[in-house]
Amino acid sequence: MSLKTVLALCGRSAVTFSSLSILVAVSSPLQVLSATTQLEDLQAQTIDLQQQENNFFPHQLGNKQDSNLLIAKKDKDDDDDDDDDKKRHHERHNYKKKKYRSVRHFRSKNWNTFLKCGRLVNSRQNALVIQMDVLDKPITRYANAVYTVYARRSNSWVQIYNTTGARLIEEQAGQFRLSPEIIDFNQLQLRGIDLSRAELRVVAQIRYDLSSQRDQRVEFENIFNYRDIAQFSSINEITNINYTSTRNNERDDDDEDDDDRRRHNNYQQNYSREQYRSFKYFRSQNWNTYLKSAKLVNSQRNAIVIQMDVLDKPVTRDANVVYSLYAKRNNSWAQLYSSTGSRIIEGQRGQFRLEPEIIDFNQLQIRGSELSRTELRVVAQIRYDLTSQPDQSVVFEHIFNYRDIAEFSSINQIKNISYTRTTTNVRNDDREHNHNRRDKKKKKHRSAKYFRTNNWSTYLKCGRLVNSRRNALVVQMDVLDKPVTRYANAVYTVYARRANSWVQIYNTTGSRLIEEQAGQFRLSPEIIDFNQLQIRGVDLSRSQLKVIAQIRYDLASQRDQRVVFENILDYRDITQVSSINEITNISYAGTSGNVHDYDNDDDDDDD
């Protein structure tokens, strides 16, 4: 083989030869053929390697300019690769942070635990998973763990899941991985909560007996947003997350504690008017008070707290306050709690902060009421003696939903909330006072409506009678103008909306006779005790009602005439009164101004 042939073969090869290789080829022609064959094999292996490495090695270029261009392109690709690496690292870092928001380490009372919460999402199941690793524990005679999940709604925690059983924990000291709690989303009692935007609280409670102490408890609580829950495709991915006690983990735990404290501080600083639904200011009979109702929630205690600040009072010979707590059940008030003693109030005039009444939930006589969905009524009654008038009494009453109760972790936080008579407070009080008056007027107009038709002019009123003796619905009509009739009477029917249809829940057994002559007449009221209503599964407190008054009458020239007046309203908008006279004394003055007020009320409702 000639040297020319060898050099031609070398030029076609993808491998670059060194000068030393060429010298060897020139000096030993017999070895060139063998070397050429090896080089061809090496070339094939190199091409395969190139394909496997996604063209990691660039193809040879024909000139120096192309080589420089290739180097420039490679540098740009390297920068893109670096950016991608940074992006992937940033995503991993964010994932770690998100994961740690729903996965947390705890140490308390010789218990060392790692509480994990994850979302299981795959083609077969969509569930919330809670699982706990016991990293260290005392020797116990008996121990188990139960889990509870809460969601924040209207600034209060609503329970959406509670373990039906318990996870048993081994007696000896050591490490144990408890079996996971798998909660399908259809098991969650959301009751209108948008879970994707909700803040969740997961509580793990361990009940245990020591050799010398029985009925011990420890709680571990983690709060996070639903969107921050780590998502997995299998249970093993969740259970296999281990806690390694490194400095980074401890720093992450400290950061989470700081985040919790920051959230709590922000929660307190942003203490909005919505939370003040369970705090109310009163002025009556020379008494000026600030009544506070709150929930005490911490690892040691779960209770309702009622506390009153006396901002001003008359000089008294003797004064004390007692508290009562009621819950609405079946449209009537059931007493849940009453003070066993009383809080003594100083005799001199001035300001006094009374000691709080702490009511553990096991003291409440709930008797089947679901407290989280209940409307509560807190009543503070002050009995006092003046110098010239003994046995005086003043009552302050506040009604609100249980979910609107402000929540705190200590008694002092509740006691230290003061009512300061600043310009802002005065303005807020005046606004609230005017707002309440306006609301009362609007609510009154929603349950009291004016009608004109067929020469009849009427004012139909509906009210809730609530006092210590009776709880009833009252329907009453004023005839403001009417034609001369030979005979006339009125009957009432009440309907409730259920599943988009109207269900009759009451019908008058008799009728109200109306005078024959033209003029104004106030008909006697129809008093309907709530046990007379045929509710049949209707939740009246959340229902829409339709009240119909039908007048049947005979004219001199026309018999069997009828006119119907109908008012549709929400149950919660019905005016609440403590006596029948309050309803019957509501009068309609038939002026253009009143008619205009109704138009305004309609506009307000649209707003």
mmCIF file of all heavy atoms in Angstrom, residues 67-88:
data_model
loop_
_atom_site.group_PDB
_atom_site.id
_atom_site.type_symbol
_atom_site.label_atom_id
_atom_site.label_comp_id
_atom_site.label_asym_id
_atom_site.label_seq_id
_atom_site.Cartn_x
_atom_site.Cartn_y
_atom_site.Cartn_z
ATOM 1 N N SER A 67 -14.909 26.397 13.260
ATOM 2 C CA SER A 67 -14.561 25.932 14.607
ATOM 3 C C SER A 67 -14.825 27.012 15.639
ATOM 4 O O SER A 67 -15.362 26.754 16.716
ATOM 5 C CB SER A 67 -13.092 25.501 14.661
ATOM 6 O OG SER A 67 -12.860 24.452 13.763
ATOM 7 N N ASN A 68 -14.438 28.248 15.307
ATOM 8 C CA ASN A 68 -14.702 29.353 16.231
ATOM 9 C C ASN A 68 -16.200 29.564 16.434
ATOM 10 O O ASN A 68 -16.665 29.823 17.537
ATOM 11 C CB ASN A 68 -14.064 30.636 15.710
ATOM 12 C CG ASN A 68 -12.547 30.579 15.745
ATOM 13 O OD1 ASN A 68 -11.984 29.820 16.544
ATOM 14 N ND2 ASN A 68 -11.887 31.348 14.863
ATOM 15 N N LEU A 69 -16.970 29.455 15.322
ATOM 16 C CA LEU A 69 -18.430 29.594 15.426
ATOM 17 C C LEU A 69 -19.018 28.518 16.318
ATOM 18 O O LEU A 69 -19.894 28.781 17.140
ATOM 19 C CB LEU A 69 -19.050 29.520 14.030
ATOM 20 C CG LEU A 69 -20.582 29.624 13.961
ATOM 21 C CD1 LEU A 69 -21.036 30.957 14.532
ATOM 22 C CD2 LEU A 69 -21.060 29.438 12.529
ATOM 23 N N LEU A 70 -18.511 27.304 16.183
ATOM 24 C CA LEU A 70 -18.985 26.199 17.008
ATOM 25 C C LEU A 70 -18.696 26.456 18.479
ATOM 26 O O LEU A 70 -19.527 26.208 19.344
ATOM 27 C CB LEU A 70 -18.321 24.892 16.549
ATOM 28 C CG LEU A 70 -18.699 23.645 17.323
ATOM 29 C CD1 LEU A 70 -20.198 23.380 17.167
ATOM 30 C CD2 LEU A 70 -17.895 22.435 16.858
ATOM 31 N N ILE A 71 -17.549 26.980 18.756
ATOM 32 C CA ILE A 71 -17.192 27.285 20.158
ATOM 33 C C ILE A 71 -18.129 28.343 20.715
ATOM 34 O O ILE A 71 -18.615 28.249 21.840
ATOM 35 C CB ILE A 71 -15.727 27.734 20.245
ATOM 36 C CG1 ILE A 71 -14.812 26.551 19.919
ATOM 37 C CG2 ILE A 71 -15.403 28.290 21.617
ATOM 38 C CD1 ILE A 71 -13.351 26.936 19.773
ATOM 39 N N ALA A 72 -18.428 29.368 19.897
ATOM 40 C CA ALA A 72 -19.343 30.409 20.361
ATOM 41 C C ALA A 72 -20.720 29.847 20.647
ATOM 42 O O ALA A 72 -21.345 30.147 21.663
ATOM 43 C CB ALA A 72 -19.425 31.524 19.317
ATOM 44 N N LYS A 73 -21.218 28.987 19.741
ATOM 45 C CA LYS A 73 -22.528 28.378 19.970
ATOM 46 C C LYS A 73 -22.519 27.519 21.207
ATOM 47 O O LYS A 73 -23.455 27.489 21.979
ATOM 48 C CB LYS A 73 -22.928 27.546 18.759
ATOM 49 C CG LYS A 73 -23.311 28.369 17.541
ATOM 50 C CD LYS A 73 -23.723 27.469 16.399
ATOM 51 C CE LYS A 73 -24.143 28.298 15.184
ATOM 52 N NZ LYS A 73 -24.526 27.414 14.060
ATOM 53 N N LYS A 74 -21.475 26.815 21.436
ATOM 54 C CA LYS A 74 -21.393 25.943 22.605
ATOM 55 C C LYS A 74 -21.418 26.754 23.895
ATOM 56 O O LYS A 74 -22.036 26.371 24.869
ATOM 57 C CB LYS A 74 -20.130 25.104 22.515
ATOM 58 C CG LYS A 74 -19.994 24.058 23.600
ATOM 59 C CD LYS A 74 -18.780 23.207 23.368
ATOM 60 C CE LYS A 74 -18.710 22.096 24.406
ATOM 61 N NZ LYS A 74 -18.631 22.579 25.761
ATOM 62 N N ASP A 75 -20.742 27.893 23.883
ATOM 63 C CA ASP A 75 -20.762 28.746 25.084
ATOM 64 C C ASP A 75 -22.184 29.199 25.391
ATOM 65 O O ASP A 75 -22.622 29.216 26.538
ATOM 66 C CB ASP A 75 -19.861 29.960 24.871
ATOM 67 C CG ASP A 75 -18.388 29.573 24.880
ATOM 68 O OD1 ASP A 75 -18.101 28.482 25.410
ATOM 69 O OD2 ASP A 75 -17.563 30.346 24.349
ATOM 70 N N LYS A 76 -22.952 29.572 24.356
ATOM 71 C CA LYS A 76 -24.343 29.994 24.578
ATOM 72 C C LYS A 76 -25.180 28.849 25.116
ATOM 73 O O LYS A 76 -25.988 29.007 26.028
ATOM 74 C CB LYS A 76 -24.924 30.504 23.269
ATOM 75 C CG LYS A 76 -26.340 31.070 23.421
ATOM 76 C CD LYS A 76 -26.832 31.627 22.114
ATOM 77 C CE LYS A 76 -28.234 32.177 22.290
ATOM 78 N NZ LYS A 76 -28.771 32.730 21.033
ATOM 79 N N ASP A 77 -24.980 27.651 24.559
ATOM 80 C CA ASP A 77 -25.703 26.485 25.057
ATOM 81 C C ASP A 77 -25.336 26.198 26.493
ATOM 82 O O ASP A 77 -26.183 25.822 27.313
ATOM 83 C CB ASP A 77 -25.405 25.254 24.183
ATOM 84 C CG ASP A 77 -26.026 25.395 22.796
ATOM 85 O OD1 ASP A 77 -26.970 26.204 22.683
ATOM 86 O OD2 ASP A 77 -25.555 24.702 21.863
ATOM 87 N N ASP A 78 -24.060 26.355 26.811
ATOM 88 C CA ASP A 78 -23.636 26.134 28.197
ATOM 89 C C ASP A 78 -24.347 27.092 29.129
ATOM 90 O O ASP A 78 -24.762 26.718 30.230
ATOM 91 C CB ASP A 78 -22.117 26.311 28.323
ATOM 92 C CG ASP A 78 -21.375 25.126 27.698
ATOM 93 O OD1 ASP A 78 -22.040 24.083 27.513
ATOM 94 O OD2 ASP A 78 -20.178 25.262 27.412
ATOM 95 N N ASP A 79 -24.475 28.359 28.712
ATOM 96 C CA ASP A 79 -25.188 29.320 29.562
ATOM 97 C C ASP A 79 -26.630 28.903 29.764
ATOM 98 O O ASP A 79 -27.182 28.991 30.870
ATOM 99 C CB ASP A 79 -25.147 30.724 28.926
ATOM 100 C CG ASP A 79 -23.727 31.295 28.938
ATOM 101 O OD1 ASP A 79 -22.935 30.805 29.779
ATOM 102 O OD2 ASP A 79 -23.433 32.190 28.125
ATOM 103 N N ASP A 80 -27.277 28.431 28.672
ATOM 104 C CA ASP A 80 -28.661 27.969 28.795
ATOM 105 C C ASP A 80 -28.744 26.785 29.731
ATOM 106 O O ASP A 80 -29.671 26.678 30.545
ATOM 107 C CB ASP A 80 -29.217 27.588 27.425
ATOM 108 C CG ASP A 80 -29.391 28.804 26.525
ATOM 109 O OD1 ASP A 80 -29.457 29.925 27.088
ATOM 110 O OD2 ASP A 80 -29.448 28.638 25.285
ATOM 111 N N ASP A 81 -27.777 25.875 29.616
ATOM 112 C CA ASP A 81 -27.763 24.717 30.515
ATOM 113 C C ASP A 81 -27.606 25.164 31.957
ATOM 114 O O ASP A 81 -28.259 24.637 32.864
ATOM 115 C CB ASP A 81 -26.623 23.754 30.141
ATOM 116 C CG ASP A 81 -26.907 23.055 28.807
ATOM 117 O OD1 ASP A 81 -28.092 23.023 28.419
ATOM 118 O OD2 ASP A 81 -25.947 22.559 28.182
ATOM 119 N N ASP A 82 -26.736 26.152 32.177
ATOM 120 C CA ASP A 82 -26.557 26.659 33.547
ATOM 121 C C ASP A 82 -27.845 27.259 34.070
ATOM 122 O O ASP A 82 -28.221 27.058 35.231
ATOM 123 C CB ASP A 82 -25.438 27.710 33.575
ATOM 124 C CG ASP A 82 -24.067 27.089 33.297
ATOM 125 O OD1 ASP A 82 -23.954 25.851 33.495
ATOM 126 O OD2 ASP A 82 -23.149 27.823 32.894
ATOM 127 N N ASP A 83 -28.542 28.029 33.191
ATOM 128 C CA ASP A 83 -29.819 28.615 33.615
ATOM 129 C C ASP A 83 -30.825 27.529 33.960
ATOM 130 O O ASP A 83 -31.571 27.631 34.941
ATOM 131 C CB ASP A 83 -30.389 29.509 32.505
ATOM 132 C CG ASP A 83 -29.531 30.754 32.294
ATOM 133 O OD1 ASP A 83 -28.789 31.096 33.244
ATOM 134 O OD2 ASP A 83 -29.605 31.357 31.210
ATOM 135 N N ASP A 84 -30.848 26.462 33.122
ATOM 136 C CA ASP A 84 -31.776 25.361 33.407
ATOM 137 C C ASP A 84 -31.434 24.688 34.730
ATOM 138 O O ASP A 84 -32.324 24.342 35.509
ATOM 139 C CB ASP A 84 -31.729 24.322 32.283
ATOM 140 C CG ASP A 84 -32.334 24.859 30.988
ATOM 141 O OD1 ASP A 84 -33.108 25.829 31.091
ATOM 142 O OD2 ASP A 84 -32.019 24.320 29.910
ATOM 143 N N ASP A 85 -30.133 24.513 34.981
ATOM 144 C CA ASP A 85 -29.728 23.907 36.252
ATOM 145 C C ASP A 85 -30.162 24.771 37.424
ATOM 146 O O ASP A 85 -30.664 24.274 38.438
ATOM 147 C CB ASP A 85 -28.205 23.712 36.286
ATOM 148 C CG ASP A 85 -27.754 22.614 35.315
ATOM 149 O OD1 ASP A 85 -28.629 21.789 34.953
ATOM 150 O OD2 ASP A 85 -26.574 22.605 34.933
ATOM 151 N N LYS A 86 -29.970 26.100 37.284
ATOM 152 C CA LYS A 86 -30.391 26.995 38.359
ATOM 153 C C LYS A 86 -31.904 26.926 38.570
ATOM 154 O O LYS A 86 -32.389 26.933 39.693
ATOM 155 C CB LYS A 86 -29.987 28.428 38.029
ATOM 156 C CG LYS A 86 -28.490 28.665 38.090
ATOM 157 C CD LYS A 86 -28.158 30.095 37.682
ATOM 158 C CE LYS A 86 -26.649 30.323 37.680
ATOM 159 N NZ LYS A 86 -26.303 31.685 37.214
ATOM 160 N N LYS A 87 -32.629 26.877 37.425
ATOM 161 C CA LYS A 87 -34.088 26.810 37.520
ATOM 162 C C LYS A 87 -34.540 25.538 38.224
ATOM 163 O O LYS A 87 -35.405 25.553 39.088
ATOM 164 C CB LYS A 87 -34.690 26.892 36.123
ATOM 165 C CG LYS A 87 -36.210 26.951 36.105
ATOM 166 C CD LYS A 87 -36.713 27.116 34.691
ATOM 167 C CE LYS A 87 -38.230 27.165 34.679
ATOM 168 N NZ LYS A 87 -38.750 27.303 33.305
ATOM 169 N N ARG A 88 -33.897 24.392 37.813
ATOM 170 C CA ARG A 88 -34.254 23.130 38.456
ATOM 171 C C ARG A 88 -33.905 23.157 39.935
ATOM 172 O O ARG A 88 -34.658 22.675 40.779
ATOM 173 C CB ARG A 88 -33.546 21.972 37.747
ATOM 174 C CG ARG A 88 -34.197 21.545 36.446
ATOM 175 C CD ARG A 88 -33.633 20.223 35.962
ATOM 176 N NE ARG A 88 -32.231 20.308 35.636
ATOM 177 C CZ ARG A 88 -31.782 20.618 34.404
ATOM 178 N NH1 ARG A 88 -32.637 20.876 33.433
ATOM 179 N NH2 ARG A 88 -30.487 20.665 34.166
#
